[in-house]
Amino acid sequence: MSRSPSLAYIGLGSNLATPRQQVATALDELDALTLGRVTAASRLYASRPVGPQDQPDFVNAVAALETPLSPLALLDQLQALEQRHRRRRERRWGPRTLDLDILLFDAATVTRPRLQVPHPEMHRRAFVLRPLLEIAPHLTLHGQPLGRWLDALDDDVTPLD
């Protein structure tokens, strides 16, 4: 018996090796993941890095992905995609060619060593909330509308084009 599709929201970010192209290519590649399909994607946004400031600004986006995969199987697929983009994990919050995060997975709560859903930092990240609101303004997080979380932040996120 096949599993009915789930809806996952994926955060994308890059600040190395032509970041706009990295994110745009990754959006296309997400659509090609095992039995998945992108149902919505935000515009691209620019944001300052979190953590060390001695790195370029980021290009960010969020995609809605319909998938039959479990959260951990999806994480494996996303990490494989990061590796195809030559992602290196040299320091926490350091520069990267591609970063893919599962932000939400249906209404599921996942607490595993490798994965926490909802993403534990998303309510503190305007570069996640702004594009997520663009494609899913109806969503709530911890019982609050996404816009309320965004209103509480320094919103330094800028749309590109």
Side-chain angles (χ1 to χ4, degrees):
M1 186 162 130
S2 69
R3 172 186 154 99
S4 63
S6 295
L7 186 61
Y9 291 92
I10 310 299
L12 300 91
S14 174
N15 71 342
L16 294 177
T18 61
R20 282 186 193 212
Q21 187 61 44
Q22 293 283 351
V23 172
T25 300
L27 283 167
D28 289 340
E29 292 168 333
L30 279 177
D31 205 34
L33 284 181
T34 308
L35 304 174
R37 73 180 183 93
V38 172
T39 60
S42 72
R43 293 178 286 177
L44 301 182
Y45 289 84
S47 66
R48 291 192 318 259
V50 170
Q53 297 295 302
D54 63 340
Q55 58 183 313
D57 286 350
F58 274 81
V59 172
N60 300 99
V62 170
L65 178 70
E66 199 173 78
T67 179
L69 299 173
S70 70
L72 287 173
L74 178 58
L75 178 63
D76 289 340
Q77 293 277 321
L78 296 178
Q79 288 179 339
L81 181 53
E82 288 176 340
Q83 292 308 304
R84 288 194 295 276
H85 282 253
R86 296 191 165 98
R87 163 87 188 257
R88 296 202 188 350
R89 297 175 191 273
E90 294 172 358
R91 67 176 174 167
R92 185 169 191 212
W93 295 327
R96 59 206 82 146
T97 53
L98 184 62
D99 185 32
L100 299 171
D101 291 316
I102 300 173
L103 304 173
L104 299 166
F105 194 95
D106 286 337
T109 298
V110 179
T111 305
R112 296 288 186 87
R114 293 182 54 218
L115 179 64
Q116 290 186 314
V117 176
H119 189 286
E121 296 296 322
M122 67 182 278
H123 66 287
R124 294 185 182 107
R125 308 283 193 248
F127 64 84
V128 169
L129 295 174
R130 170 83 46 215
L132 183 55
L133 268 165
E134 179 185 324
I135 64 170
H138 62 282
L139 288 177
T140 61
L141 179 65
H142 307 304
Q144 298 292 320
L146 292 180
R148 193 166 293 159
W149 291 106
L150 185 60
D151 290 344
L153 300 175
D154 252 349
D155 186 359
D156 62 347
V157 178
T158 307
L160 298 172
D161 299 334

mmCIF file with all atom_site columns, all heavy atoms in Angstrom, residues 74-88:
data_model
loop_
_atom_site.group_PDB
_atom_site.id
_atom_site.type_symbol
_atom_site.label_atom_id
_atom_site.label_alt_id
_atom_site.label_comp_id
_atom_site.label_asym_id
_atom_site.label_entity_id
_atom_site.label_seq_id
_atom_site.pdbx_PDB_ins_code
_atom_site.Cartn_x
_atom_site.Cartn_y
_atom_site.Cartn_z
_atom_site.occupancy
_atom_site.B_iso_or_equiv
_atom_site.pdbx_formal_charge
_atom_site.auth_seq_id
_atom_site.auth_comp_id
_atom_site.auth_asym_id
_atom_site.auth_atom_id
_atom_site.pdbx_PDB_model_num
ATOM 1   N N   . LEU A 1 74 ? 13.259 11.986 3.388  1.00 0.00 ? 74 LEU A N   1
ATOM 2   C CA  . LEU A 1 74 ? 13.383 13.263 2.683  1.00 0.00 ? 74 LEU A CA  1
ATOM 3   C C   . LEU A 1 74 ? 14.682 13.960 3.075  1.00 0.00 ? 74 LEU A C   1
ATOM 4   O O   . LEU A 1 74 ? 15.386 14.489 2.217  1.00 0.00 ? 74 LEU A O   1
ATOM 5   C CB  . LEU A 1 74 ? 12.178 14.161 2.977  1.00 0.00 ? 74 LEU A CB  1
ATOM 6   C CG  . LEU A 1 74 ? 12.212 15.549 2.346  1.00 0.00 ? 74 LEU A CG  1
ATOM 7   C CD1 . LEU A 1 74 ? 12.331 15.479 0.823  1.00 0.00 ? 74 LEU A CD1 1
ATOM 8   C CD2 . LEU A 1 74 ? 10.980 16.350 2.759  1.00 0.00 ? 74 LEU A CD2 1
ATOM 9   N N   . LEU A 1 75 ? 15.019 13.950 4.352  1.00 0.00 ? 75 LEU A N   1
ATOM 10  C CA  . LEU A 1 75 ? 16.281 14.544 4.797  1.00 0.00 ? 75 LEU A CA  1
ATOM 11  C C   . LEU A 1 75 ? 17.461 13.901 4.076  1.00 0.00 ? 75 LEU A C   1
ATOM 12  O O   . LEU A 1 75 ? 18.373 14.606 3.623  1.00 0.00 ? 75 LEU A O   1
ATOM 13  C CB  . LEU A 1 75 ? 16.432 14.400 6.317  1.00 0.00 ? 75 LEU A CB  1
ATOM 14  C CG  . LEU A 1 75 ? 17.740 14.945 6.902  1.00 0.00 ? 75 LEU A CG  1
ATOM 15  C CD1 . LEU A 1 75 ? 17.850 16.445 6.689  1.00 0.00 ? 75 LEU A CD1 1
ATOM 16  C CD2 . LEU A 1 75 ? 17.837 14.587 8.380  1.00 0.00 ? 75 LEU A CD2 1
ATOM 17  N N   . ASP A 1 76 ? 17.446 12.580 3.950  1.00 0.00 ? 76 ASP A N   1
ATOM 18  C CA  . ASP A 1 76 ? 18.526 11.896 3.222  1.00 0.00 ? 76 ASP A CA  1
ATOM 19  C C   . ASP A 1 76 ? 18.623 12.403 1.786  1.00 0.00 ? 76 ASP A C   1
ATOM 20  O O   . ASP A 1 76 ? 19.721 12.650 1.278  1.00 0.00 ? 76 ASP A O   1
ATOM 21  C CB  . ASP A 1 76 ? 18.300 10.381 3.211  1.00 0.00 ? 76 ASP A CB  1
ATOM 22  C CG  . ASP A 1 76 ? 18.509 9.740  4.574  1.00 0.00 ? 76 ASP A CG  1
ATOM 23  O OD1 . ASP A 1 76 ? 19.169 10.344 5.448  1.00 0.00 ? 76 ASP A OD1 1
ATOM 24  O OD2 . ASP A 1 76 ? 17.985 8.614  4.770  1.00 0.00 ? 76 ASP A OD2 1
ATOM 25  N N   . GLN A 1 77 ? 17.477 12.560 1.121  1.00 0.00 ? 77 GLN A N   1
ATOM 26  C CA  . GLN A 1 77 ? 17.457 13.058 -0.259 1.00 0.00 ? 77 GLN A CA  1
ATOM 27  C C   . GLN A 1 77 ? 18.004 14.497 -0.333 1.00 0.00 ? 77 GLN A C   1
ATOM 28  O O   . GLN A 1 77 ? 18.757 14.832 -1.244 1.00 0.00 ? 77 GLN A O   1
ATOM 29  C CB  . GLN A 1 77 ? 16.040 13.029 -0.815 1.00 0.00 ? 77 GLN A CB  1
ATOM 30  C CG  . GLN A 1 77 ? 15.481 11.640 -1.004 1.00 0.00 ? 77 GLN A CG  1
ATOM 31  C CD  . GLN A 1 77 ? 15.920 11.028 -2.317 1.00 0.00 ? 77 GLN A CD  1
ATOM 32  O OE1 . GLN A 1 77 ? 15.985 11.691 -3.334 1.00 0.00 ? 77 GLN A OE1 1
ATOM 33  N NE2 . GLN A 1 77 ? 16.225 9.749  -2.288 1.00 0.00 ? 77 GLN A NE2 1
ATOM 34  N N   . LEU A 1 78 ? 17.611 15.336 0.622  1.00 0.00 ? 78 LEU A N   1
ATOM 35  C CA  . LEU A 1 78 ? 18.071 16.722 0.627  1.00 0.00 ? 78 LEU A CA  1
ATOM 36  C C   . LEU A 1 78 ? 19.577 16.803 0.883  1.00 0.00 ? 78 LEU A C   1
ATOM 37  O O   . LEU A 1 78 ? 20.279 17.596 0.241  1.00 0.00 ? 78 LEU A O   1
ATOM 38  C CB  . LEU A 1 78 ? 17.314 17.535 1.680  1.00 0.00 ? 78 LEU A CB  1
ATOM 39  C CG  . LEU A 1 78 ? 15.814 17.690 1.464  1.00 0.00 ? 78 LEU A CG  1
ATOM 40  C CD1 . LEU A 1 78 ? 15.184 18.480 2.602  1.00 0.00 ? 78 LEU A CD1 1
ATOM 41  C CD2 . LEU A 1 78 ? 15.500 18.329 0.122  1.00 0.00 ? 78 LEU A CD2 1
ATOM 42  N N   . GLN A 1 79 ? 20.086 15.987 1.789  1.00 0.00 ? 79 GLN A N   1
ATOM 43  C CA  . GLN A 1 79 ? 21.528 16.003 2.060  1.00 0.00 ? 79 GLN A CA  1
ATOM 44  C C   . GLN A 1 79 ? 22.318 15.473 0.872  1.00 0.00 ? 79 GLN A C   1
ATOM 45  O O   . GLN A 1 79 ? 23.409 15.976 0.583  1.00 0.00 ? 79 GLN A O   1
ATOM 46  C CB  . GLN A 1 79 ? 21.837 15.230 3.338  1.00 0.00 ? 79 GLN A CB  1
ATOM 47  C CG  . GLN A 1 79 ? 21.364 15.998 4.567  1.00 0.00 ? 79 GLN A CG  1
ATOM 48  C CD  . GLN A 1 79 ? 21.608 15.272 5.878  1.00 0.00 ? 79 GLN A CD  1
ATOM 49  O OE1 . GLN A 1 79 ? 21.779 14.055 5.928  1.00 0.00 ? 79 GLN A OE1 1
ATOM 50  N NE2 . GLN A 1 79 ? 21.600 16.040 6.960  1.00 0.00 ? 79 GLN A NE2 1
ATOM 51  N N   . ALA A 1 80 ? 21.780 14.516 0.153  1.00 0.00 ? 80 ALA A N   1
ATOM 52  C CA  . ALA A 1 80 ? 22.433 14.042 -1.071 1.00 0.00 ? 80 ALA A CA  1
ATOM 53  C C   . ALA A 1 80 ? 22.469 15.150 -2.118 1.00 0.00 ? 80 ALA A C   1
ATOM 54  O O   . ALA A 1 80 ? 23.474 15.331 -2.817 1.00 0.00 ? 80 ALA A O   1
ATOM 55  C CB  . ALA A 1 80 ? 21.717 12.805 -1.615 1.00 0.00 ? 80 ALA A CB  1
ATOM 56  N N   . LEU A 1 81 ? 21.403 15.917 -2.205 1.00 0.00 ? 81 LEU A N   1
ATOM 57  C CA  . LEU A 1 81 ? 21.354 17.045 -3.135 1.00 0.00 ? 81 LEU A CA  1
ATOM 58  C C   . LEU A 1 81 ? 22.386 18.106 -2.735 1.00 0.00 ? 81 LEU A C   1
ATOM 59  O O   . LEU A 1 81 ? 23.092 18.648 -3.591 1.00 0.00 ? 81 LEU A O   1
ATOM 60  C CB  . LEU A 1 81 ? 19.939 17.630 -3.172 1.00 0.00 ? 81 LEU A CB  1
ATOM 61  C CG  . LEU A 1 81 ? 19.682 18.801 -4.103 1.00 0.00 ? 81 LEU A CG  1
ATOM 62  C CD1 . LEU A 1 81 ? 20.123 18.518 -5.528 1.00 0.00 ? 81 LEU A CD1 1
ATOM 63  C CD2 . LEU A 1 81 ? 18.196 19.161 -4.063 1.00 0.00 ? 81 LEU A CD2 1
ATOM 64  N N   . GLU A 1 82 ? 22.491 18.395 -1.442 1.00 0.00 ? 82 GLU A N   1
ATOM 65  C CA  . GLU A 1 82 ? 23.530 19.327 -0.982 1.00 0.00 ? 82 GLU A CA  1
ATOM 66  C C   . GLU A 1 82 ? 24.918 18.836 -1.399 1.00 0.00 ? 82 GLU A C   1
ATOM 67  O O   . GLU A 1 82 ? 25.757 19.637 -1.841 1.00 0.00 ? 82 GLU A O   1
ATOM 68  C CB  . GLU A 1 82 ? 23.490 19.464 0.545  1.00 0.00 ? 82 GLU A CB  1
ATOM 69  C CG  . GLU A 1 82 ? 22.330 20.232 1.083  1.00 0.00 ? 82 GLU A CG  1
ATOM 70  C CD  . GLU A 1 82 ? 22.297 20.258 2.607  1.00 0.00 ? 82 GLU A CD  1
ATOM 71  O OE1 . GLU A 1 82 ? 22.937 19.385 3.268  1.00 0.00 ? 82 GLU A OE1 1
ATOM 72  O OE2 . GLU A 1 82 ? 21.627 21.141 3.149  1.00 0.00 ? 82 GLU A OE2 1
ATOM 73  N N   . GLN A 1 83 ? 25.168 17.550 -1.268 1.00 0.00 ? 83 GLN A N   1
ATOM 74  C CA  . GLN A 1 83 ? 26.477 16.992 -1.637 1.00 0.00 ? 83 GLN A CA  1
ATOM 75  C C   . GLN A 1 83 ? 26.745 17.122 -3.132 1.00 0.00 ? 83 GLN A C   1
ATOM 76  O O   . GLN A 1 83 ? 27.883 17.375 -3.527 1.00 0.00 ? 83 GLN A O   1
ATOM 77  C CB  . GLN A 1 83 ? 26.595 15.531 -1.187 1.00 0.00 ? 83 GLN A CB  1
ATOM 78  C CG  . GLN A 1 83 ? 26.644 15.360 0.318  1.00 0.00 ? 83 GLN A CG  1
ATOM 79  C CD  . GLN A 1 83 ? 27.694 16.237 0.966  1.00 0.00 ? 83 GLN A CD  1
ATOM 80  O OE1 . GLN A 1 83 ? 28.867 16.170 0.612  1.00 0.00 ? 83 GLN A OE1 1
ATOM 81  N NE2 . GLN A 1 83 ? 27.275 17.096 1.888  1.00 0.00 ? 83 GLN A NE2 1
ATOM 82  N N   . ARG A 1 84 ? 25.710 16.968 -3.940 1.00 0.00 ? 84 ARG A N   1
ATOM 83  C CA  . ARG A 1 84 ? 25.888 17.158 -5.386 1.00 0.00 ? 84 ARG A CA  1
ATOM 84  C C   . ARG A 1 84 ? 26.270 18.603 -5.706 1.00 0.00 ? 84 ARG A C   1
ATOM 85  O O   . ARG A 1 84 ? 26.897 18.872 -6.724 1.00 0.00 ? 84 ARG A O   1
ATOM 86  C CB  . ARG A 1 84 ? 24.636 16.741 -6.155 1.00 0.00 ? 84 ARG A CB  1
ATOM 87  C CG  . ARG A 1 84 ? 24.448 15.223 -6.189 1.00 0.00 ? 84 ARG A CG  1
ATOM 88  C CD  . ARG A 1 84 ? 23.431 14.770 -7.212 1.00 0.00 ? 84 ARG A CD  1
ATOM 89  N NE  . ARG A 1 84 ? 22.074 15.202 -6.959 1.00 0.00 ? 84 ARG A NE  1
ATOM 90  C CZ  . ARG A 1 84 ? 21.208 14.589 -6.151 1.00 0.00 ? 84 ARG A CZ  1
ATOM 91  N NH1 . ARG A 1 84 ? 21.577 13.509 -5.476 1.00 0.00 ? 84 ARG A NH1 1
ATOM 92  N NH2 . ARG A 1 84 ? 19.985 15.055 -5.997 1.00 0.00 ? 84 ARG A NH2 1
ATOM 93  N N   . HIS A 1 85 ? 25.901 19.507 -4.823 1.00 0.00 ? 85 HIS A N   1
ATOM 94  C CA  . HIS A 1 85 ? 26.278 20.917 -4.977 1.00 0.00 ? 85 HIS A CA  1
ATOM 95  C C   . HIS A 1 85 ? 27.586 21.230 -4.249 1.00 0.00 ? 85 HIS A C   1
ATOM 96  O O   . HIS A 1 85 ? 27.917 22.395 -4.037 1.00 0.00 ? 85 HIS A O   1
ATOM 97  C CB  . HIS A 1 85 ? 25.155 21.825 -4.456 1.00 0.00 ? 85 HIS A CB  1
ATOM 98  C CG  . HIS A 1 85 ? 24.015 21.944 -5.406 1.00 0.00 ? 85 HIS A CG  1
ATOM 99  N ND1 . HIS A 1 85 ? 23.774 23.073 -6.143 1.00 0.00 ? 85 HIS A ND1 1
ATOM 100 C CD2 . HIS A 1 85 ? 23.042 21.057 -5.749 1.00 0.00 ? 85 HIS A CD2 1
ATOM 101 C CE1 . HIS A 1 85 ? 22.701 22.896 -6.892 1.00 0.00 ? 85 HIS A CE1 1
ATOM 102 N NE2 . HIS A 1 85 ? 22.240 21.679 -6.674 1.00 0.00 ? 85 HIS A NE2 1
ATOM 103 N N   . ARG A 1 86 ? 28.275 20.181 -3.827 1.00 0.00 ? 86 ARG A N   1
ATOM 104 C CA  . ARG A 1 86 ? 29.589 20.292 -3.168 1.00 0.00 ? 86 ARG A CA  1
ATOM 105 C C   . ARG A 1 86 ? 29.527 21.048 -1.836 1.00 0.00 ? 86 ARG A C   1
ATOM 106 O O   . ARG A 1 86 ? 30.416 21.831 -1.517 1.00 0.00 ? 86 ARG A O   1
ATOM 107 C CB  . ARG A 1 86 ? 30.609 20.907 -4.108 1.00 0.00 ? 86 ARG A CB  1
ATOM 108 C CG  . ARG A 1 86 ? 30.859 20.036 -5.314 1.00 0.00 ? 86 ARG A CG  1
ATOM 109 C CD  . ARG A 1 86 ? 32.063 20.529 -6.091 1.00 0.00 ? 86 ARG A CD  1
ATOM 110 N NE  . ARG A 1 86 ? 32.500 19.512 -7.014 1.00 0.00 ? 86 ARG A NE  1
ATOM 111 C CZ  . ARG A 1 86 ? 32.170 19.484 -8.296 1.00 0.00 ? 86 ARG A CZ  1
ATOM 112 N NH1 . ARG A 1 86 ? 31.404 20.408 -8.791 1.00 0.00 ? 86 ARG A NH1 1
ATOM 113 N NH2 . ARG A 1 86 ? 32.629 18.524 -9.069 1.00 0.00 ? 86 ARG A NH2 1
ATOM 114 N N   . ARG A 1 87 ? 28.486 20.782 -1.075 1.00 0.00 ? 87 ARG A N   1
ATOM 115 C CA  . ARG A 1 87 ? 28.346 21.384 0.253  1.00 0.00 ? 87 ARG A CA  1
ATOM 116 C C   . ARG A 1 87 ? 29.448 20.861 1.172  1.00 0.00 ? 87 ARG A C   1
ATOM 117 O O   . ARG A 1 87 ? 29.700 19.669 1.245  1.00 0.00 ? 87 ARG A O   1
ATOM 118 C CB  . ARG A 1 87 ? 26.967 21.027 0.824  1.00 0.00 ? 87 ARG A CB  1
ATOM 119 C CG  . ARG A 1 87 ? 26.806 21.220 2.317  1.00 0.00 ? 87 ARG A CG  1
ATOM 120 C CD  . ARG A 1 87 ? 26.394 22.638 2.652  1.00 0.00 ? 87 ARG A CD  1
ATOM 121 N NE  . ARG A 1 87 ? 26.407 22.908 4.066  1.00 0.00 ? 87 ARG A NE  1
ATOM 122 C CZ  . ARG A 1 87 ? 25.331 22.971 4.840  1.00 0.00 ? 87 ARG A CZ  1
ATOM 123 N NH1 . ARG A 1 87 ? 24.143 22.772 4.328  1.00 0.00 ? 87 ARG A NH1 1
ATOM 124 N NH2 . ARG A 1 87 ? 25.442 23.263 6.115  1.00 0.00 ? 87 ARG A NH2 1
ATOM 125 N N   . ARG A 1 88 ? 30.100 21.783 1.867  1.00 0.00 ? 88 ARG A N   1
ATOM 126 C CA  . ARG A 1 88 ? 31.095 21.423 2.874  1.00 0.00 ? 88 ARG A CA  1
ATOM 127 C C   . ARG A 1 88 ? 30.655 21.999 4.212  1.00 0.00 ? 88 ARG A C   1
ATOM 128 O O   . ARG A 1 88 ? 30.235 23.140 4.287  1.00 0.00 ? 88 ARG A O   1
ATOM 129 C CB  . ARG A 1 88 ? 32.459 21.980 2.501  1.00 0.00 ? 88 ARG A CB  1
ATOM 130 C CG  . ARG A 1 88 ? 32.990 21.374 1.219  1.00 0.00 ? 88 ARG A CG  1
ATOM 131 C CD  . ARG A 1 88 ? 34.463 21.465 1.100  1.00 0.00 ? 88 ARG A CD  1
ATOM 132 N NE  . ARG A 1 88 ? 35.111 21.091 -0.117 1.00 0.00 ? 88 ARG A NE  1
ATOM 133 C CZ  . ARG A 1 88 ? 34.652 20.488 -1.183 1.00 0.00 ? 88 ARG A CZ  1
ATOM 134 N NH1 . ARG A 1 88 ? 33.419 20.165 -1.241 1.00 0.00 ? 88 ARG A NH1 1
ATOM 135 N NH2 . ARG A 1 88 ? 35.390 20.206 -2.218 1.00 0.00 ? 88 ARG A NH2 1
#
